Amino acid sequence: MESINPAQEAKVWQRVRGNPPEEQTLGKLLAMEAECRQICQYLQRNTHLRDSRGLARLREECGKFYHILLGMASVRGLDVTVSAPPAVRGNPEGLLRQSHATRQRAIALLEELPPEDRKLLKPKMEEHRLSILELLGQLPRK
């Protein structure tokens, strides 16, 4: 009997069952990372936070998370497509709050990934969430 490549097997089962849960989860997480990165880019270009090292670090981390998630999908042979992130506009506080809420949803969504992946990503995402809170706390109060 001929053996089948695991990537081919995953694609066959995807057609039979629809998107596997892990593929859906990685797709959602990738979309969230793209949104967070878009928010950081907007804040760096259009607000007084443009020179913030913390914001630059957040943007870099979003890019790293995005590529790590793509790598996870690639290792598993999953076909994850990510739509373009939504256009971003708003005040710094509102955008940072949105980014924080997105990060919290991403951390909750990690529970759907295998334990070894969750262990790798969760501590870093928690640190990222704390960095967003720190940046939010540094904004001038009215």
Side-chain angles (χ1 to χ4, degrees):
M1 185 171 188
E2 189 177 331
S3 72
I4 230 174
N5 178 330
Q8 290 173 327
E9 181 182 4
K11 287 181 182 182
V12 169
W13 280 110
Q14 177 185 354
R15 279 188 237 123
V16 172
R17 290 184 282 195
N19 284 344
E22 187 176 10
E23 190 169 309
Q24 291 174 354
T25 300
L26 285 173
K28 289 176 188 176
L29 286 167
L30 283 164
M32 289 176 183
E33 292 311 319
E35 178 186 331
C36 283
R37 192 165 63 175
Q38 185 85 356
I39 288 172
C40 290
Q41 287 174 342
Y42 176 83
L43 290 172
Q44 279 188 314
R45 283 191 309 252
N46 301 307
T47 68
H48 66 281
L49 295 171
R50 71 177 55 88
D51 296 326
S52 169
R53 288 184 196 162
L55 185 58
R57 189 179 70 249
L58 287 175
R59 181 176 168 215
E60 186 179 311
E61 287 172 358
C62 287
K64 284 182 181 180
F65 289 141
Y66 185 84
H67 290 105
I68 288 168
L69 292 165
L70 275 178
M72 287 177 172
S74 177
V75 164
R76 290 173 177 79
L78 301 175
D79 182 26
V80 180
T81 53
V82 181
S83 58
V88 174
R89 288 216 154 135
N91 65 358
E93 184 175 352
L95 289 171
L96 286 171
R97 285 175 182 262
Q98 179 182 341
S99 186
H100 181 263
T102 300
R103 177 58 62 220
Q104 282 185 299
R105 287 193 316 273
I107 291 169
L109 202 54
L110 287 177
E111 296 302 318
E112 296 179 19
L113 292 178
E116 62 274 5
D117 294 340
R118 191 172 43 239
K119 247 194 266 187
L120 288 172
L121 288 172
K122 194 169 183 176
K124 291 292 186 185
M125 285 193 175
E126 287 286 354
E127 286 177 27
H128 187 95
R129 188 176 75 84
L130 291 174
S131 297
I132 294 169
L133 289 173
E134 180 182 352
L135 197 56
L136 195 55
Q138 291 173 358
L139 291 176
R141 297 288 154 220
K142 297 175 186 174

